[in-house]
Amino acid sequence: MTLPTLLSFCTDCYLPTRLGMAKTSAAQLQIAARLYEVSLSALDELELARRLATYSKDHSPSTVNSKRRAILTLWSAAAEAGLCRPPNRKRIPRAREMRRIPWAWTTTELERLISVCRSVRGTLGDIPAGIWWPSIVLTIWDTGMRIGALLSITTSDLNLAERYAIVRAEADKSCIDRYYPLSDQSTAAIAGHFCPHRDRAFPWPYGRRQLFYRFRKIVTAAGLKSRKTMGLFHQLRRSNLSYTAAGGGVALAQQQAGHASSATTVRHYLDPRIAQQRSAIDVLPTLNLSGDKQLLLF
């Protein structure tokens, strides 16, 4: 009997039994399996560690670790099915990840961003780009929702009269229907292009890569700081959550984000410049530096 490869096991055995798994999650598992495309009988911790080390030369530590987790998930599932031996995880080291401070845009920067959005020329399908882009930015600023969730909203789940949007569980990372109130500003921006006869409330006629590429150009034109192209919309999400925490506390920001743990919200989303937490400087006594005595060192 010829054993399947890790990729064929993933595609033919593992994914069909994972009901409800998001398409993006399934795609990431397949990408990871291609990184170590060998027969299940040839799975080896040392060889996997070597491949991950090579992969790390062109990818961030967090990306390397995500691939490691995905491969070990598939390897363990194959072992449970009796197709191979289980992995010894200790022999496959994790990449060391640097913990960075979350970076959000301030309200002044967001105002500059929206100003540039309004000046974008051309059309997106039959919608003027200078109308579509501000509606996207303002809606994420209002809600903190992920860009994929926003683009999934149907016209029937967007009520401009009562100012709310619903993201269905199928498009939400937590697999829960989410209700989002909208401000007058975002409602007015959306009304500029909303058409109840369309399927999607925010129709995007191109692929996701083009979406990120064009938004990068807008961000650059606004002179805003950003770390990576694929995380630009997440920077808007951080702005929402940071200001939410500043005004309503971490618990409210966690609720808005839909995180199971407040630690996730604080570690990855709250910009300390905006969502200022209590620190040592709040409790340290002030030193008395007004004394008359002066020491002559020389």
Side-chain angles (χ1 to χ4, degrees), residues 152-198:
S152 75
I153 297 173
T154 62
T155 51
S156 60
D157 282 333
L158 179 64
N159 190 316
L160 296 181
E162 298 183 27
R163 297 189 296 119
Y164 71 81
I166 295 175
V167 172
R168 294 300 173 183
E170 291 79 4
D172 189 80
K173 198 172 182 179
S174 61
C175 298
I176 299 173
D177 282 354
R178 301 290 305 278
Y179 170 90
Y180 293 99
L182 300 173
S183 69
D184 290 336
Q185 287 182 323
S186 59
T187 301
I190 298 167
H193 66 74
F194 182 77
C195 176
H197 302 296
R198 295 193 188 102

Side-chain angles (χ1 to χ4, degrees), residues 20-258:
M21 177 178 282
K23 291 182 180 179
T24 53
S25 299
Q28 288 303 315
L29 281 171
Q30 291 175 315
I31 291 171
R34 290 189 185 95
L35 180 63
Y36 193 31
E37 175 64 340
V38 298
S39 168
L40 295 181
S41 61
L43 291 172
D44 178 77
E45 290 87 353
L46 181 57
E47 177 59 25
L48 175 55
R50 286 172 177 164
R51 295 201 185 193
L52 290 173
T54 301
Y55 187 73
S56 69
K57 295 178 181 179
D58 300 312
H59 298 83
S60 70
S62 61
T63 301
V64 173
N65 286 336
S66 71
K67 296 297 181 289
R68 175 186 179 275
R69 285 192 299 271
I71 291 171
L72 289 177
T73 294
L74 294 172
W75 188 343
S76 297
E80 290 178 6
L83 298 175
C84 63
R85 63 176 179 79
N88 184 344
R89 294 171 180 264
K90 293 182 179 180
R91 296 184 62 195
I92 311 167
R94 294 183 178 88
R96 186 177 181 183
E97 296 184 42
M98 300 296 106
R99 183 171 175 177
R100 306 296 183 188
I101 295 173
W103 188 272
W105 288 319
T106 64
T107 52
T108 301
E109 290 173 317
L110 288 171
E111 289 163 1
R112 197 158 72 238
L113 177 64
I114 292 170
S115 177
V116 173
C117 285
R118 287 172 173 162
S119 69
V120 177
R121 298 178 180 179
T123 59
L124 299 171
D126 59 351
I127 301 174
I131 293 178
W132 191 88
W133 282 109
S135 73
I136 289 288
V137 172
L138 284 167
T139 301
I140 298 178
W141 162 243
D142 271 2
T143 63
M145 67 175 67
R146 298 174 178 85
I147 184 62
L150 183 143
L151 295 179
S152 75
I153 297 173
T154 62
T155 51
S156 60
D157 282 333
L158 179 64
N159 190 316
L160 296 181
E162 298 183 27
R163 297 189 296 119
Y164 71 81
I166 295 175
V167 172
R168 294 300 173 183
E170 291 79 4
D172 189 80
K173 198 172 182 179
S174 61
C175 298
I176 299 173
D177 282 354
R178 301 290 305 278
Y179 170 90
Y180 293 99
L182 300 173
S183 69
D184 290 336
Q185 287 182 323
S186 59
T187 301
I190 298 167
H193 66 74
F194 182 77
C195 176
H197 302 296
R198 295 193 188 102
D199 177 43
R200 301 291 176 181
F202 301 91
W204 175 254
Y206 309 110
R208 286 178 65 87
R209 186 174 294 277
Q210 188 67 208
L211 174 69
F212 293 120
Y213 170 74
R214 295 197 183 193
F215 191 48
R216 160 65 71 182
K217 292 183 68 175
I218 293 172
V219 169
T220 301
L224 303 187
K225 292 181 179 180
S226 58
R227 288 178 177 166
K228 55 184 180 179
T229 299
M230 301 298 281
L232 291 177
F233 289 105
H234 242 52
Q235 201 143 330
L236 283 173
R237 179 169 160 84
R238 290 190 195 99
S239 295
N240 168 277
L241 298 178
S242 294
Y243 278 102
T244 298
V250 173
L252 182 59
Q254 177 191 351
Q255 175 185 323
Q256 185 72 17

